[in-house]
Amino acid sequence: MKGFRIVILILILVLAGTSQISALDVGGSVSSATSFSTSAGLANEEGVGLWLETGKSGPYSFKTKLDFIFSASDPGFYFNPDYLKLDALYEDLEYGPSVLATSLGRFRMSDFSGKIFSQKLDGFSINFSYPAVELRLSAGYTGLFFADTGSLLTTSPSTTMSKTDAAQKSNAADLFEALTDPAAAGRALFQSPRAVEIITLTLPQVLLRQSITLSFVAQEDMRPMFDILSGYSAVPAVLLQEGESIYYGDQGGAVDTQYIGAGVSGPLIDSLYHKVYYYFGTGRAMSYTTDASSATGSSYSYDTIISHLAGFSLDYYMSWLFNSKVGLAVSFSTGDADATTYFEGNTSGDYNQFLPITNGGGGIIFSPGISNIISGNLSFSAKPLENLDIPFVSSAQFVLNAMPFFRTVAGPVYVSGINPAYTGNYLGTEIDLTVNLRPFSDLGIITQLGYFLPEISAFTAADPIFMAKLNVSFSY
Amino acid sequence: MQKIKVFIVSIVVFMVITSAAISAQSTEVVDNLLSSETAGFGDSVYMIAVGSGLADDDSVSVSEAVVLVNGKGWNVSQKSADQAISLGELSFIIMQALDIEGGIMYSLMPSPRYAVRELKFLDLITEEAHPDKTVSGGDVINILSEAINMKEAR
């Protein structure tokens, strides 16, 4: 509850600080999301969002949005402060950068590739724009996000990097449960407590209209600094210390990671654009390895993470063919062949599993993220009806994705159900069709159909999975 | 310099699209708008009336254009010519003068607020879209010329 009080206090302070701003706009949205899959059945959530925005008052502007969600399939209510952002923009400065932009509050942050970190964060961002270079410094904290805000309408942060994180997540309660259900006492209300820092230096169009980006990302497990487990929840897990000789299946140590990366993006020929990126990942994670001095023959110790992520994408835009685009994206991330579990499972040598801060990513059904995965995505999008004078549907956009997934090495990946006896690399292919429809400016309809065809021997239950999703939102 | 170039290009586009022979009256209004950080209600309404074909630039003055729009029953704020026009009022008058269809909420409750959101959705407003925001003369010309462009293309 301590974190919740902090959120409310920040909200009150920011609203008080912006009370002099005369231009105020308040609105809302109503959303409905329904999904059906052959593996998970039917799910439905209905949501109401309320937002408030101030106009610019000098360099300042403020906006916030709160979501209230009702889950019909898993009856319950969720509350989610979606964003809360105080922006300041200083232009034509006499000294220093030509433009200085700052943001404070809860808002989406991302590294340049969007692969390491891409989610909302409580923190700040400062952007210095010079004629030849752009520097962005961002930092924030994940531990004030509610752990459970539903599954269909909101995309709550997913920062699970250790066994302790996984235990906290599996023992999470939503705010409604925490306030009304005595049985929820002691369960985790918030996400794992991690500090994240992102430094991005961009040299825009330095040569042949190519932009070069250098990036440094770091995250620290804050549990060693805070008595977080006793303060925020009573998850029966404490961080294991180095030298512990008894094995605990669902407990581990702190996981701290750092990433140094670079990328190049820009046009190649005609309407063909590319993006190439690479990240070196390092840090520390606990492992249980052989120790002759231990009474059990093994003990816990911190291993150094040595991992890699690389990828590229090509996009060809064809405005002459129904505003279509053909895209190809490939990503490669290292895994650890001797790891016994996805989190902190290394058994010998360096820990080679690439650990992004934001989990998941892939198709609407199979989303193993970018850890021990080689994945491709061949996509095609078009608006084939835009030249036809058909009411409501002429703006429809169709997007088709075909995504094969491979393990880099025969080690763990961030999905459940992998057959432990499987030694191959191919995991399966997913094909998704998305139709974005905007019949009116204030009404959006997204329909998604997905089909995942798994490699039979790779999974303990290897039936093909079909999924359909419908998301309707109306703003007012 | 970049902003000035954008304004000049916008004016030329506007002239070509409307095929309007620029009169001394129009030239004076355009000059006024381009030199004003805060666009006046009269100058803005005059440009909308001429650009949409509601009035011939030779036949009306700025004050007559204000009377013309005020008399349309468009539920627009009754302002004098020298008062500032807000982004909401500008959008609402453009929507009605050019007969641009809005979303569900605009159809149910036509107002400056939903007009701004419609023009933002149509990418005619590219910056902050707040109905109470004041606009520069350059903004008026840009938004109006883009709206006429879009209407002509449909």
Side-chain angles (χ1 to χ4, degrees):
Chain A
M1 290 305 292
K2 189 164 60 183
F4 183 61
R5 287 191 203 118
I6 292 171
V7 172
I8 297 297
L9 183 61
I10 292 171
L11 182 64
I12 291 169
L13 285 173
V14 171
L15 285 174
T18 56
S19 60
Q20 298 304 310
I21 297 171
S22 57
L24 203 66
D25 196 11
V26 179
S29 60
V30 180
S31 306
S32 171
T34 305
S35 78
F36 169 79
S37 83
T38 51
S39 62
L42 192 64
N44 170 263
E45 286 179 4
E46 308 294 326
V48 174
L50 296 172
W51 55 261
L52 177 151
E53 287 182 13
T54 68
K56 263 191 169 181
S57 176
Y60 304 107
S61 60
F62 171 76
K63 61 182 178 182
T64 186
K65 180 169 176 270
L66 304 174
D67 288 329
F68 304 87
I69 296 158
F70 169 70
S71 171
S73 49
D74 178 19
F77 291 95
Y78 303 105
F79 168 66
N80 179 41
D82 190 21
Y83 58 77
L84 184 150
K85 194 176 178 210
L86 178 65
D87 290 320
L89 181 68
Y90 304 92
E91 296 177 289
D92 303 322
L93 297 175
E94 194 172 344
Y95 301 104
S98 53
V99 178
L100 173 64
T102 64
S103 299
L104 175 70
R106 169 172 294 188
F107 54 97
R108 176 167 286 278
M109 298 188 205
S110 173
D111 73 294
F112 82 94
S113 69
K115 303 288 184 183
I116 306 293
F117 185 85
S118 180
Q119 62 188 55
K120 293 199 174 87
L121 199 61
D122 293 318
F124 68 91
S125 179
I126 307 175
N127 199 81
F128 303 88
S129 293
Y130 296 88
V133 66
E134 188 171 317
L135 175 65
R136 177 182 287 268
L137 308 175
S138 306
Y141 180 62
T142 61
L144 292 175
F145 285 87
F146 290 125
D148 192 358
T149 57
S151 57
L152 294 176
L153 281 174
T154 58
T155 51
S156 64
S158 178
T159 309
T160 307
M161 303 187 73
S162 67
K163 288 183 177 178
T164 309
D165 286 348
Q168 182 171 335
K169 189 176 180 180
S170 66
N171 193 36
D174 62 66
L175 179 63
F176 185 70
E177 282 179 322
L179 293 174
T180 60
D181 185 0
R187 288 166 63 187
L189 186 58
F190 293 98
Q191 295 274 349
S192 64
R194 294 183 178 276
V196 178
E197 304 86 32
I198 306 170
I199 302 173
T200 308
L201 183 75
T202 305
L203 306 171
Q205 303 195 355
V206 285
L207 184 67
L208 299 173
R209 295 165 63 203
Q210 302 297 301
S211 295
I212 298 172
T213 305
L214 306 173
S215 174
F216 175 75
V217 183
Q219 73 77 27
E220 297 84 34
D221 193 331
M222 302 301 284
R223 289 185 182 90
M225 290 183 66
F226 302 146
D227 186 15
I228 201 82
L229 293 174
S230 59
Y232 281 71
S233 73
V235 175
V238 292
L239 294 180
L240 296 176
Q241 301 301 309
E242 283 191 290
E244 173 64 56
S245 58
I246 300 171
Y247 180 75
Y248 296 88
D250 58 354
Q251 294 182 39
V255 173
D256 303 317
T257 53
Q258 300 87 41
Y259 315 83
I260 300 170
V264 179
S265 62
L268 290 176
I269 49 168
D270 194 18
S271 299
L272 180 65
Y273 291 79
H274 81 109
K275 184 175 185 176
V276 183
Y277 57 88
Y278 167 78
Y279 267 106
F280 169 71
T282 186
R284 67 168 187 166
M286 190 75 93
S287 66
Y288 188 67
T289 53
T290 304
D291 181 0
S293 65
S294 163
T296 59
S298 298
S299 69
Y300 282 97
S301 61
Y302 278 107
D303 283 336
T304 302
I305 299 171
I306 301 291
S307 60
H308 307 272
L309 166 72
F312 74 89
S313 63
L314 291 169
D315 291 305
Y316 186 61
Y317 294 87
M318 297 172 289
S319 57
W320 45 271
L321 184 66
F322 305 119
N323 263 324
S324 59
K325 185 189 86 169
V326 177
L328 172 66
V330 174
S331 71
F332 162 89
S333 54
T334 55
D336 196 306
D338 60 63
T340 52
T341 55
Y342 179 77
F343 296 116
E344 302 168 272
N346 184 40
T347 55
S348 71
D350 290 329
Y351 190 36
N352 301 121
Q353 190 96 20
F354 189 84
L355 280 176
I357 303 171
T358 300
N359 302 121
I364 64 170
I365 302 169
F366 190 67
S367 53
I370 50 163
S371 185
N372 190 22
I373 287 290
I374 300 172
S375 66
N377 185 354
L378 182 62
S379 63
F380 178 75
S381 67
K383 291 183 174 179
L385 307 176
E386 68 174 356
N387 294 325
L388 303 176
D389 192 19
I390 307 173
F392 310 129
V393 298
S394 58
S395 66
Q397 182 193 39
F398 295 76
V399 184
L400 188 64
N401 295 88
M403 295 164 281
F405 297 95
F406 301 83
R407 279 195 301 196
T408 309
V409 297
V413 293
Y414 186 64
V415 287
S416 57
I418 297 289
N419 180 0
Y422 182 60
T423 56
N425 296 94
Y426 178 62
L427 297 175
T429 297
E430 177 165 336
I431 296 172
D432 293 344
L433 173 65
T434 301
V435 182
N436 297 310
L437 194 58
R438 196 101 190 172
F440 299 99
S441 59
D442 42 14
L443 178 66
I445 301 169
I446 301 173
T447 308
Q448 288 182 299
L449 301 173
Y451 184 75
F452 178 62
L453 187 63
E455 161 62 35
I456 291 174
S457 54
F459 292 86
T460 49
D463 294 328
I465 300 172
F466 168 78
M467 177 177 264
K469 282 185 174 181
L470 176 67
N471 193 321
V472 181
S473 66
F474 173 68
S475 60
Y476 55 91
Chain B
M1 280 305 291
Q2 185 62 28
K3 285 183 179 175
I4 294 171
K5 284 179 190 167
V6 171
F7 291 160
I8 292 170
V9 169
S10 299
I11 295 164
V12 171
V13 169
F14 177 74
M15 286 164 57
V16 170
I17 289 168
T18 58
S19 302
I22 295 292
S23 68
Q25 170 74 17
S26 293
T27 307
E28 188 183 332
V29 172
V30 169
D31 282 345
N32 275 345
L33 282 172
L34 288 183
S35 61
S36 56
E37 282 294 311
T38 303
F41 188 78
D43 289 343
S44 304
V45 163
Y46 174 87
M47 291 302 288
I48 296 169
V50 172
S52 64
L54 285 176
D56 185 339
D57 67 330
D58 285 327
S59 66
V60 295
S61 65
V62 168
S63 55
E64 286 169 341
V66 172
V67 172
L68 178 69
V69 168
N70 284 342
K72 283 284 180 184
W74 285 345
N75 201 21
V76 179
S77 310
Q78 300 287 309
K79 281 188 167 179
S80 62
D82 55 351
Q83 285 184 286
I85 190 169
S86 69
L87 183 61
E89 291 161 347
L90 176 72
S91 304
F92 196 33
I93 297 170
I94 288 176
M95 290 271 296
Q96 294 178 96
L98 296 178
D99 199 21
I100 297 172
E101 288 181 12
I104 296 172
M105 289 306 295
Y106 182 83
S107 303
L108 294 173
M109 291 184 282
S111 65
R113 180 173 187 268
Y114 292 116
V116 167
R117 292 170 70 173
E118 189 66 30
L119 296 195
K120 177 74 175 176
F121 171 73
L122 294 170
D123 277 339
L124 303 183
I125 298 172
T126 53
E127 295 183 356
E128 183 197 18
H130 203 283
D132 295 333
K133 181 187 170 191
T134 56
V135 290
S136 69
D139 290 336
V140 171
I141 292 173
N142 278 334
I143 294 169
L144 178 60
S145 59
E146 288 289 326
I148 294 170
N149 252 332
M150 183 203 72
K151 195 68 185 171
E152 290 286 320
R154 286 186 171 180

